[in-house]
Amino acid sequence: MKTLHLIFLIFLFSGKGFSQPPIPETEWKHYSSENGDLEVPNGSEQQTSCAVFDIDKDGINDFIVTERVQAPAVVWYKKNGEKWDRYILDTGLLRIEAGSAVWDIDNDGDLDPVFGGESRSSEVWWWENPYPNYSPEIPWKRHTVKKSGATKHHDQLFGDFDGDGLMELAFWNQNANTLFLAEIPKNPRENEEWEMIPIYSYANDSEMQPPGEMPDWKRVNEHEGLAKADIDGDGIPDIIGGGRWFKKTGDKKFQENIVDASYSFSRSAAAQLIEGGRPEIVLVVGDGIAPMFLYEWQNGTWKRKTLITEIDNGHSIEIIDFNGDGHLDIFNAEMRFSEQHNPDAKLRILLGDGKGNFTDYIINEGFSHHEAKIADLDGDGDYDILSKPYAFRAPGIDIWLQNGTNKK
C-alpha cells in the first residue's frame, strides 16, 4: 500500500467564457494485488466486467470482478481493515463480456448482479444474492435472462424506461444488431428466459466515418454503450447508447433519436453538466483512439464540443460531483495493452463548473484501466477508485482510497 500525493495537470476547456473550478487538495492511498493488499481474482489474462455495490448490506460497497477464459469466472471482494477478502461468486468458466447491471431482481431486499456473455455466448445471466449466508468458497445460484439467439452482449442497464413503475433491463446484443428491453418476470428464479422486445435494430451494411481510429476487430456500424437520463423532461428515463437516445412512444415501441450517428461505437454518459435545458450527453471511445465529446441540446440540434482531442481506449466513464461544489464532473480512464502502448495512460476527472467549462484533473498515469469505477469503497463518504486491467498486467486489481480535504 502506498500513499500517493495528487498528480494533476490543468487544461481549461471553455465554450462559454473563462472560469476556474476549484482543484481538490487530495491524497490517495494506493492498494494493489501486486502488493498483496488483495488476492488476484484468478489466473486470467482477460478480465472483463466490474460492478460496485453493497452486496452484504453492511453500509460499505463491495465489488465484483469477472473474466472470460478461466475459472472461477466471478469473484467478489469485501473490505476487511486495510485489505479485502475474496469470495467466489461462480466457480464455472463463463464467457463474460464487459458491462454489468445491478438490481433487486427477486425482490428479497438485497441486490443481484447481471452480466452478459461475449462473442462465444448467447446468454445473459443474473446471480441470486444469498444474503446473509456468504462463504468464501460457496458459489451463488446462477439464473438466465437470455439463453438463445445471437451472441455478444456488451453493456446492460436497469431502469423504468416505459413508465409503468417497474424496472426493465436494457441490453445490447451486438451480433443480433439489436438493443433489447426485458421485463423482470414475476418469478425470476423460475424463468429461464425473460420476455424481451427489440426496441432498436441496425445494419452492418455501412456506417458514417467514425471520429477516430477504431480497432480492426470492430464490426461495421457496431453499437455499444448505455446510460440513462430523462432527456426530454417527461418524467420517464430515456436510454442513451450507440450515439442515440431512445424514448418510449407507445406500447412496446421506442423512438430512435440521433445524437451522433458517427459515434455508435462509444461509451455513454448523460447528466445536467450545463445548468438549464436538457441533460448533456458525453460520448468517448471505449476501444480505439478518438476524442471525448460533450453534446448540448439547442433547439433540436445536439451541438458537439470537444472536451479532449484524443482518448486512448477510454473504456471507463461516469458522471459524479467529485469535489462537492454542486456541479457535475466527468470521470474517465484509459487502457494499456503493453509496456509500449499508451505508457502514460491517464485516469482523470474533468471538473465542471456547470457552464460547460472543465479542468482536467489527472489522478495517475501509466496504469491500465478497464471498466474502472468511482465510488465510496471504504464508507467514509467520499469518492474512491476501483480499477483493473483488461489484459496488460492481468490478473490484478488496483484501488485508490481518497484521504484529503473532500473526506466527509
Side-chain angles (χ1 to χ4, degrees):
M1 182 268 291
K2 298 179 181 178
T3 300
L4 299 181
H5 289 279
L6 164 69
I7 302 172
F8 68 88
L9 301 175
I10 302 175
F11 302 95
L12 193 65
F13 304 97
S14 175
K16 297 186 176 180
F18 188 90
S19 62
Q20 179 65 54
I23 297 294
E25 298 175 3
T26 306
E27 290 186 347
W28 299 90
K29 286 187 177 181
H30 179 207
Y31 299 80
S32 176
S33 57
E34 289 191 351
N35 302 330
D37 302 315
L38 304 90
E39 186 179 352
V40 296
N42 51 33
S44 172
E45 294 181 353
Q46 293 187 32
Q47 298 180 148
T48 50
S49 294
C50 185
V52 176
F53 62 102
D54 185 1
I55 289 175
D56 57 0
K57 299 168 59 173
D58 67 351
I60 299 176
N61 280 319
D62 313 288
F63 60 89
I64 297 173
V65 176
T66 74
E67 61 80 49
R68 64 182 183 183
V69 294
Q70 289 196 20
V74 192
V75 297
W76 69 279
Y77 291 81
K78 175 179 173 58
K79 196 171 191 306
N80 182 7
E82 290 288 301
K83 295 182 179 293
W84 283 262
D85 295 332
R86 171 182 173 271
Y87 292 74
I88 292 176
L89 199 152
D90 197 304
T91 59
L93 193 162
L94 298 174
R95 305 297 188 183
I96 297 178
E97 181 57 277
S100 64
V102 175
W103 188 249
D104 183 3
I105 293 171
D106 50 7
N107 199 31
D108 65 352
D110 53 45
L111 294 172
D112 311 299
V114 170
F115 299 101
E118 43 99 284
S119 60
R120 292 167 288 185
S121 171
S122 61
E123 295 185 289
V124 177
W125 308 276
W126 73 276
W127 283 262
E128 185 179 335
N129 189 332
Y131 175 84
N133 301 312
Y134 302 106
S135 166
E137 302 298 331
I138 298 177
W140 298 11
K141 188 172 183 179
R142 183 194 335 139
H143 306 271
T144 51
V145 172
K146 172 183 177 291
K147 65 172 188 176
S148 61
T151 63
K152 192 175 183 182
H153 314 82
H154 196 301
D155 303 321
Q156 302 84 37
L157 180 70
F158 277 109
D160 179 13
F161 301 119
D162 59 8
D164 66 354
L166 303 173
M167 280 288 176
E168 294 87 38
L169 175 68
F171 64 91
W172 288 110
N173 189 176
Q174 276 82 11
N175 288 338
N177 295 358
T178 299
L179 177 63
F180 283 102
L181 194 68
E183 297 281 352
I184 301 176
K186 291 183 179 179
N187 299 301
R189 297 171 182 165
E190 300 173 8
N191 287 70
E192 294 186 346
E193 200 154 40
W194 296 6
E195 179 183 353
M196 62 190 72
I197 59 170
I199 63 172
Y200 167 70
S201 296
Y202 57 91
N204 293 126
D205 181 71
S206 60
E207 65 178 346
M208 293 183 66
Q209 182 176 349
E213 178 185 335
M214 298 292 129
D216 57 9
W217 48 262
K218 182 187 85 69
R219 299 172 68 209
V220 174
N221 202 31
E222 187 168 357
H223 288 36
E224 66 172 35
L226 284 175
K228 63 182 176 181
D230 183 3
I231 296 295
D232 57 359
D234 67 353
I236 299 175
D238 304 300
I239 302 170
I240 299 101
R244 294 151 171 83
W245 68 278
F246 304 92
K247 171 184 174 58
K248 184 180 185 295
T249 57
D251 184 28
K252 298 183 180 181
K253 294 184 181 298
F254 283 74
Q255 176 180 294
E256 169 201 6
N257 298 277
I258 299 293
V259 179
D260 188 339
S262 71
Y263 220 173
S264 62
F265 196 68
S266 57
R267 317 305 298 146
S268 308
Q272 199 73 59
L273 289 160
I274 299 174
E275 296 165 356
R278 293 188 172 189
E280 285 66 48
I281 292 173
V282 178
L283 301 181
V284 66
V285 65
D287 301 274
I289 301 173
M292 178 191 290
F293 293 128
L294 179 143
Y295 301 82
E296 182 183 6
W297 191 86
Q298 295 183 3
N299 300 318
T301 298
W302 288 98
K303 184 179 179 182
R304 186 173 80 180
K305 180 170 75 171
T306 301
L307 296 184
I308 300 178
T309 57
E310 185 176 287
I311 295 289
D312 193 327
N313 290 271
H315 207 281
S316 309
I317 186 167
E318 295 184 51
I319 296 178
I320 41 89
D321 180 6
F322 175 74
N323 55 359
D325 66 352
H327 305 306
L328 292 175
D329 314 304
I330 303 168
F331 168 77
N332 177 244
E334 297 180 313
M335 297 169 61
R336 288 183 69 181
F337 293 103
S338 67
E339 289 288 348
Q340 294 74 34
H341 172 257
N342 201 16
D344 60 347
K346 294 176 176 59
L347 186 148
R348 60 171 26 109
I349 298 172
L350 298 182
L351 295 167
D353 67 354
K355 300 177 181 179
N357 309 311
F358 295 88
T359 298
D360 194 3
Y361 165 53
I362 296 175
I363 296 171
N364 62 56
E365 298 183 350
F367 293 86
S368 182
H369 307 286
H370 179 258
E371 295 277 291
K373 306 293 182 182
I374 185 164
D376 183 1
L377 298 174
D378 55 4
D380 67 354
D382 58 23
Y383 282 106
D384 310 303
I385 294 165
L386 168 69
S387 183
K388 64 168 186 63
Y390 164 65
F392 176 62
R393 299 183 74 177
I397 299 172
D398 289 283
I399 291 173
W400 288 269
L401 297 184
Q402 184 185 163
N403 289 278
T405 56
N406 290 325
K407 183 184 291 187
K408 299 177 182 178

